[in-house]
């Protein structure tokens, strides 16, 4: 399908005005020279009008588009205590005069006297904030499940009071949210075409999988050859690829297209998140320092630092040859640089 066809289909969807688009596509000159590969960065960290943008802004445009059309006055969503998605939902709610309610699983327990990073921003945005802390011995997945149960009970109470609630899943990872990255892929693909570039690969950080699903749906719809390298930031379990292929296909169906995405299409890179979500590692620390010191661009320790360390690993292993062009999708997350020491590590 052509760029114009896909654009037209996306334009028919409900979309709220949020963020700044298109985001810049920038060549990393010094790093390209250093590494012998033509490296670019797509600045989706610049999407947000509140100062701290990121990939969630693209998803929230479509999620709020639907919420506003359905007459919602309140958004309820979930995430970790320093979730970028949750903070961006709190911000997006302010832009459109909605109430935001956040149920956050406190993997790293915050000091109530010293809220940092996204938690601090959530407070500034006057968000209805519910922190769910782990019981002794409880794992993170279980705390997350519990926070969703608590959120759903709260939604019932709100609805009983006459509020119109739109529930948004963790990471905004549903078929409507992923449309944001069908559009994100379309945008970077169009920019590349205009500049005569043909990216061998696009690298990005992958958590809830909504970004990956949208990117893959966009790639398949446009029949683009760029490989999508999805660098996991947490242990995602065995059914992840299957579930995200379904998600991608549901987004395509919303656009009136068929099931184009198969589980095998995803390149899930699992070797870069250890020791775990919101836990730093030496490769990510090196990647963050290297990009900051050669190009003056900041990454974060939870998502983009780990994804960029995978890209550096592949280049250093010789996966790309001289003249190949590769793009890194910067998905934001800079606030984590001001979070708790356990998250920042040795930066
Ligand atoms: C900065 C950043 N990058 C990447 C991701 C991963 O995106 P997704 O949840 O769509 O996989 C997130 C998700 O929270 C994020 O905050």
């Amino acid at each position: 399908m052509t760029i114009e066809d896909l654009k037209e289909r996306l334009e028919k969807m409900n979309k709220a005005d949020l963020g700044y688009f298109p985001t810049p596509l920038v060549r990393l000159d010094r790093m390209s020279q250093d590494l012998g590969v033509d490296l670019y960065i797509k600045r989706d960290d610049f999407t947000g009008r509140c100062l701290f943008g990121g990939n969630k802004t693209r998803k929230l445009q479509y999620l709020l588009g639907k919420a506003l059309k359905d007459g919602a006055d309140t958004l309820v969503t979930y995430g970790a205590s320093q979730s970028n998605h949750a903070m961006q939902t709190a911000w997006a709610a302010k832009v459109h005069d909605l109430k935001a309610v956040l149920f956050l699983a406190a993997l790293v327990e915050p000091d109530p006297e010293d809220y940092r990073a996204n938690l601090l921003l959530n407070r500034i945005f006057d968000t209805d904030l519910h922190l769910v802390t782990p019981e002794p011995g409880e794992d993170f997945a279980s705390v997350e499940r519990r926070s969703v149960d608590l959120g759903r009970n709260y939604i019932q109470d709100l609805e009983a009071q006459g509020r119109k609630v739109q529930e948004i899943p963790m990471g905004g990872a549903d078929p409507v949210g992923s449309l944001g990255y069908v559009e994100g892929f379309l945008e970077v693909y169009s920019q590349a075409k205009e500049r005569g570039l043909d990216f061998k690969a696009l690298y990005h950080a992958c958590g809830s999988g909504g970004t990956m699903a949208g990117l893959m749906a966009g790639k398949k719809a446009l029949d683009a050859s760029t490989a999508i390298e999805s660098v996991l930031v947490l242990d995602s379990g065995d059914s992840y690829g299957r579930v995200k292929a379904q998600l991608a296909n549901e987004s395509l169906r919303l656009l009136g297209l068929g099931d184009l995405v198969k589980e095998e299409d995803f390149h899930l890179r699992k070797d870069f998140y250890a020791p775990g979500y919101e836990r730093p590692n030496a490769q990510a620390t090196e990647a963050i320092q290297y990009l900051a010191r050669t190009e003056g661009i900041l990454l974060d320790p939870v998502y983009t630092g780990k994804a960029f360390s995978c890209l550096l690993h592949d280049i250093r292993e010789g996966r790309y040859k001289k003249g190949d062009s590769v793009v890194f999708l910067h998905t934001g997350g800079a606030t984590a640089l001001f979070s708790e020491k356990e998250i920042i590590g040795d930066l």
Side-chain angles (χ1 to χ4, degrees):
M1 116 163 351
T2 65
I3 289 175
E4 284 314 315
D5 278 348
L6 187 57
K7 223 181 231 168
E8 260 175 43
R9 286 171 194 260
L10 283 162
E11 277 165 7
K12 290 197 186 116
M13 307 306 297
N14 296 298
K15 192 172 162 190
D17 183 26
L18 272 180
Y20 297 122
F21 300 98
T23 59
L25 175 67
V26 183
R27 186 169 188 272
L28 300 175
D29 289 336
R30 277 180 294 281
M31 209 177 242
S32 296
Q33 193 168 8
D34 213 14
L35 296 171
V37 169
D38 214 14
L39 263 181
Y40 286 78
I41 191 162
K42 171 72 171 158
R43 300 296 305 266
D44 272 10
D45 51 325
F46 281 168
T47 53
R49 288 181 202 161
C50 77
L51 181 60
F52 300 109
N55 56 341
K56 305 305 176 188
T57 306
R58 284 196 192 271
K59 296 185 190 181
L60 284 163
Q61 289 191 104
Y62 287 93
L63 290 163
L64 262 74
K66 179 175 187 310
L68 293 169
K69 181 188 137 274
D70 294 345
D73 54 33
T74 305
L75 306 174
V76 175
T77 198
Y78 312 94
S81 48
Q82 286 295 2
S83 162
N84 297 309
H85 159 71
M87 181 278 286
Q88 289 192 39
T89 303
W91 157 69
K94 288 295 153 195
V95 175
H96 285 279
D97 198 21
L98 302 169
K99 294 245 179 308
V101 184
L102 306 179
F103 279 82
L104 304 180
L107 176 62
V108 174
E109 205 168 326
D111 174 355
E113 299 300 314
D114 185 22
Y115 271 18
R116 287 166 180 268
N118 288 329
L119 272 178
L120 174 64
L121 299 183
N122 292 334
R123 261 205 180 153
I124 296 172
F125 288 129
D126 192 24
T127 308
D128 183 357
L129 198 59
H130 302 254
L131 279 175
V132 185
T133 45
E135 306 288 353
E138 188 180 16
D139 67 18
F140 186 49
S142 159
V143 192
E144 283 194 326
R145 277 195 301 275
R146 216 152 46 74
S147 65
V148 173
D149 291 343
L150 290 168
R152 298 227 164 120
N153 288 337
Y154 198 73
I155 290 173
Q156 283 181 358
D157 292 346
L158 292 173
E159 286 175 342
Q161 293 160 28
R163 299 260 287 273
K164 275 281 285 169
V165 179
Q166 173 76 54
E167 187 189 37
I168 297 178
M170 215 166 290
D174 73 5
V176 172
S178 287
L179 290 174
Y181 269 93
V182 176
E183 185 177 342
F185 187 86
L186 175 73
E187 189 177 297
V188 71
Y189 181 79
S190 311
Q191 286 171 318
K193 278 249 167 307
E194 277 161 25
R195 289 158 72 167
L197 295 165
D198 184 11
F199 291 126
K200 279 254 171 265
L202 177 151
Y203 284 72
H204 74 103
C206 185
S208 70
T211 301
M212 174 179 80
L215 289 168
M216 187 56 75
K219 167 188 150 91
K220 288 287 176 176
L222 292 165
D223 197 20
S225 60
T226 306
I228 296 176
E229 302 294 329
S230 302
V231 187
L232 288 164
V233 299
L234 73 178
D235 180 3
S236 56
D238 293 338
S239 58
Y240 190 78
R242 182 174 49 76
V243 172
K244 299 310 159 189
Q246 267 167 20
L247 174 59
N249 286 326
E250 282 170 43
S251 294
L252 286 168
R253 270 181 243 145
L254 291 177
L255 295 170
L257 298 169
D259 289 4
L260 303 175
V261 176
K262 295 190 290 299
E263 182 177 354
E264 310 80 77
D265 292 325
F266 296 124
H267 296 183
L268 297 175
R269 309 296 301 270
K270 302 184 178 177
D271 294 335
F272 298 87
Y273 65 75
Y277 182 66
E278 285 191 345
R279 301 288 179 210
N281 67 35
Q283 299 93 302
T285 299
E286 189 259 338
I288 293 167
Q289 291 172 341
Y290 181 36
L291 186 65
R293 292 169 191 181
T294 48
E295 298 284 347
I297 295 174
L298 292 168
L299 300 169
D300 82 287
V302 183
Y303 293 94
T304 52
K306 289 183 175 175
F308 203 76
S309 78
C310 173
L311 167 59
L312 290 177
H313 166 272
D314 287 359
I315 293 174
R316 288 167 178 158
E317 291 260 294
R319 183 186 279 223
Y320 303 105
K321 57 182 192 315
K322 206 168 170 52
D324 282 349
S325 58
V326 177
V327 61
F328 181 73
L329 174 62
H330 193 324
T331 45
T335 49
L337 291 169
F338 308 101
S339 62
E340 293 81 2
K341 168 87 183 122
E342 297 97 299
I343 295 177
I344 299 170
D346 292 332
L347 270 174

